[in-house]
Amino acid sequence: MPQMNRDQRNAAWQAANQWRARAAQTQPTGLAGSLKLLFTWLAFGALMIVGVILGLFFLLIGWAMMPFVRHKMKKRMEQMRAQQAQDIGGGYSNGSTSPHNRPGHQDVLEGSYEVKDER
């Protein structure tokens, strides 16, 4: 018996009882209630079907676009590599006339190195 008193004072238990009472009151009564419930389920089902079809459509569009995006990214990477190689090689990448871009000037890479004898 003490278990029931404790459960009845519990807020979750009271909320569950209120939900149960509301569900019993909103049961479809007669033909009008049944039709309303049927149309609600049909509308829900139709929306689910439309959502799945749209999702599959956009998935297929994404898959179809992947080769084009890959080609574009590949071209961009080639352009970046060429730009970097030109910058390292001392080319005129941006057209400025700074001392580092003069003809005959070579950039030196920083770091430790050692010159070995050719014997």
Side-chain angles (χ1 to χ4, degrees), residues 92-102:
Y92 300 100
S93 62
N94 58 6
S96 68
T97 57
S98 68
H100 295 289
N101 288 335
R102 299 193 301 253

Side-chain angles (χ1 to χ4, degrees), residues 28-40:
T29 55
L31 184 62
S34 296
L35 285 176
K36 187 177 178 182
L37 186 63
L38 176 70
F39 286 129
T40 302

Side-chain angles (χ1 to χ4, degrees), residues 5-67:
N5 287 336
R6 187 172 48 177
D7 285 343
Q8 288 173 353
R9 283 182 270 139
N10 188 357
W13 184 264
Q14 290 175 358
N17 282 334
Q18 289 173 358
W19 273 82
R20 192 177 302 131
R22 269 191 248 145
Q25 290 174 356
T26 58
Q27 290 290 327
T29 55
L31 184 62
S34 296
L35 285 176
K36 187 177 178 182
L37 186 63
L38 176 70
F39 286 129
T40 302
W41 276 104
L42 285 176
F44 177 72
L47 285 175
M48 290 293 287
I49 290 171
V50 167
V52 167
I53 289 172
L54 281 174
L56 289 174
F57 175 73
F58 285 118
L59 179 71
L60 289 174
I61 292 286
W63 280 348
M65 287 178 61
M66 285 192 73

